[in-house]
Amino acid sequence: MRLSGLVLDLVDTPEVQRLRRIKQLGLANLVFPGANHTRFEHVLGTAHLAERLGGELGLSQEELDLLVAAAVLHDVGHAPYSHTLEYLMTDHLDQGHMELTGDVLRGEASTCTPEEIEVLEDLGAPRIVDVLSDHEIDPDEVARLLLGENEKPYLGQIIHSDIDIDQMDYLLRDSHFTGVALGRIDIDRLMRTLKISEDQLVIESKGVEAVEGLLTARALMYSSVYFHHTTRIAELMVTNAVNHALSEDTPITKQNFYRMSDEELSERLYEIPGYPREMIMRIRYRQLFKTAYLEERQKLEADEKENILKTYGEWHLIQEKQEEIAEKAGVSEGKVILDVPIVDILISEPRIEKVEIPVKTEKGLSKLSDISTLAPALRERQAPRYLIRVATPAEHVKAVKKVLPEALE
């Protein structure tokens, strides 16, 4: 990839440079040792695909600039370890990484601290809002595109929809670095058969098999990589450690935890004696909690999903249930973690349950499920492979397992 013009100017902004220090897959390298790639690489790849697809679709230069800017900037709001702390962001900041990204683009927030901003200004580091303005791009319009509020639906759909360039890049990239071949997709075919019709991003009928391949790859990568149980346990150990630090007088605060890099957060947690330091030591040396209870995945109806969100949809609800289980088992606070991964899908990654994209046929636009028998099957399959997991240190597994039937009623 050759970087120049708008992309190069945006890459030089502090918020984008910070992404060099945020791992794309959080703590997945505990399972897949090669998974050390970063969000920085991913946004470059997404921008490259934006330019490529924009050319295939014949977008105007104004549309292409807007799309490329959104591709470079779409992940600047991520907290350390990518999606790991999303729960805490929504609980403590009342916004997830996408909403924070919108604020950063408008110049209303930053993922740099005030002290860093002061130094960076002295060094002449460019600000996102100024770079966009210099290229005659409205920062608010880029934010609206990323939040799905653009007046041209297809522009937002190119970045974030059932089939988008964000997913195309991360599936190929994550497959490569984890060594899991399940994420391979036919990106050339997708690029050639995606079209714009009635202001929507659609696929030509001859590209249906390529879309089926992407949907299959996505489903398999979620169950085998993104929601691997060991990774999930480690991520929740970090989440609990950060939550503990936020509840006390520590260097980790509501004003700075989401601005840190992976290593910065790890070091700050290590500096806090007691529970936070223990969790980081366990993760650094892979002494993770063990499974005490597992409820296998099951097909969920709409009302069951609604009930799960009501029961576990906010961090404080998860925390309360963890504390209840620990108390019943006679285990100290923080030594029981509860994982309900379907909540992450329903709240922060609804695309995994979307398997529709309009298909352009001789008779007009049809739904993918009307043409493909695979799409509805993938929607039924969903991810991950389990509904609820409870984990605890190995020495407490027996005690925790004993109280779970009553605690999870």
Side-chain angles (χ1 to χ4, degrees), residues 131-161:
V131 171
L132 293 174
S133 297
D134 288 345
H135 286 271
E136 299 183 350
I137 300 171
D138 182 357
D140 186 62
E141 195 62 27
V142 182
R144 286 171 55 80
L145 187 154
L146 289 176
L147 296 172
E149 301 169 358
N150 188 270
E151 61 183 16
K152 297 177 179 178
Y154 57 86
L155 288 178
Q157 290 163 358
I158 291 172
I159 295 286
H160 191 90
S161 64

Side-chain angles (χ1 to χ4, degrees), residues 329-340:
V331 175
S332 59
E333 185 178 328
K335 295 300 176 68
V336 172
I337 60 175
L338 175 65
D339 182 18
V340 191

Side-chain angles (χ1 to χ4, degrees), residues 25-28 30-32 83-84 86-87 222-223 225-240 283 288-289 315 318 322 337-345 348-349 384-389 391:
L25 294 183
L27 291 158
L30 291 171
V31 182
F32 307 98
H83 288 281
T84 299
E86 196 79 14
Y87 251 138
Y222 264 89
S223 57
V225 175
Y226 305 138
F227 283 148
H228 190 285
H229 68 276
T230 302
T231 303
R232 294 286 299 181
I233 288 172
E235 289 176 345
L236 282 166
M237 289 168 67
V238 168
T239 301
N240 277 276
I283 288 165
L288 307 180
F289 287 9
W315 173 249
I318 293 282
Q322 289 178 160
I337 60 175
L338 175 65
D339 182 18
V340 191
I342 189 66
V343 172
D344 284 4
I345 292 175
S348 62
E349 193 46 271
R385 288 180 289 185
Y386 62 94
L387 185 64
I388 294 175
R389 183 184 298 273

Side-chain angles (χ1 to χ4, degrees), residues 243-346:
N243 187 72
H244 180 95
L246 291 173
S247 67
E248 298 187 355
D249 183 17
T250 74
I252 297 175
T253 68
K254 295 178 183 179
Q255 289 72 41
N256 69 16
F257 81 92
Y258 64 93
R259 292 179 163 128
M260 297 179 185
S261 68
D262 295 356
E263 290 306 316
E264 285 173 324
L265 180 64
S266 177
E267 286 302 314
R268 297 295 83 75
L269 288 170
Y270 182 79
E271 291 168 2
I272 303 172
Y275 183 77
R277 179 178 294 172
E278 180 190 340
M279 292 303 103
I280 286 301
M281 287 289 289
R282 282 179 171 275
I283 288 165
R284 287 180 177 179
Y285 297 98
R286 211 175 184 278
Q287 300 300 305
L288 307 180
F289 287 9
K290 304 300 181 183
T291 298
Y293 172 84
L294 178 69
E295 184 174 336
E296 297 291 348
R297 186 70 170 88
Q298 56 184 301
K299 181 180 177 181
L300 298 173
E301 302 298 334
D303 59 334
E304 292 175 308
K305 292 178 182 178
E306 185 178 340
N307 186 55
I308 287 175
L309 278 176
K310 184 178 179 181
T311 307
Y312 301 113
E314 297 178 33
W315 173 249
H316 70 92
L317 298 173
I318 293 282
Q319 188 180 15
E320 288 167 7
K321 182 58 70 173
Q322 289 178 160
E323 291 173 357
E324 178 189 339
I325 296 170
E327 183 179 357
K328 289 179 182 295
V331 175
S332 59
E333 185 178 328
K335 295 300 176 68
V336 172
I337 60 175
L338 175 65
D339 182 18
V340 191
I342 189 66
V343 172
D344 284 4
I345 292 175
L346 296 173

Side-chain angles (χ1 to χ4, degrees), residues 93-217:
L93 305 179
D94 293 324
Q95 59 179 186
H97 80 274
M98 286 306 298
E99 291 77 20
L100 177 59
T101 297
D103 288 348
V104 171
L105 267 55
R106 298 185 185 99
E108 298 169 359
S110 177
T111 48
C112 299
T113 66
E115 294 77 18
E116 288 173 328
I117 291 172
E118 186 176 340
V119 173
L120 289 165
E121 286 179 348
D122 290 340
L123 295 174
R127 298 179 67 240
I128 288 175
V129 67
D130 293 334
V131 171
L132 293 174
S133 297
D134 288 345
H135 286 271
E136 299 183 350
I137 300 171
D138 182 357
D140 186 62
E141 195 62 27
V142 182
R144 286 171 55 80
L145 187 154
L146 289 176
L147 296 172
E149 301 169 358
N150 188 270
E151 61 183 16
K152 297 177 179 178
Y154 57 86
L155 288 178
Q157 290 163 358
I158 291 172
I159 295 286
H160 191 90
S161 64
D162 298 14
I163 305 293
D164 57 48
I165 56 175
D166 177 30
Q167 294 179 89
M168 292 181 202
D169 183 83
Y170 77 61
L171 285 172
L172 284 174
R173 194 170 302 279
D174 298 346
S175 174
H176 174 79
F177 283 102
T178 59
V180 178
L182 299 171
R184 304 299 298 178
I185 60 175
D186 190 349
I187 200 163
D188 293 329
R189 187 69 169 170
L190 288 166
M191 288 283 167
R192 290 196 298 268
T193 52
L194 282 166
K195 303 295 178 185
I196 296 171
S197 179
E198 299 178 14
D199 273 347
Q200 302 288 322
L201 186 67
V202 306
I203 192 81
E204 291 182 318
S205 57
K206 61 184 179 181
V208 165
E209 287 78 11
V211 171
E212 289 178 325
L214 185 148
L215 294 175
T216 302

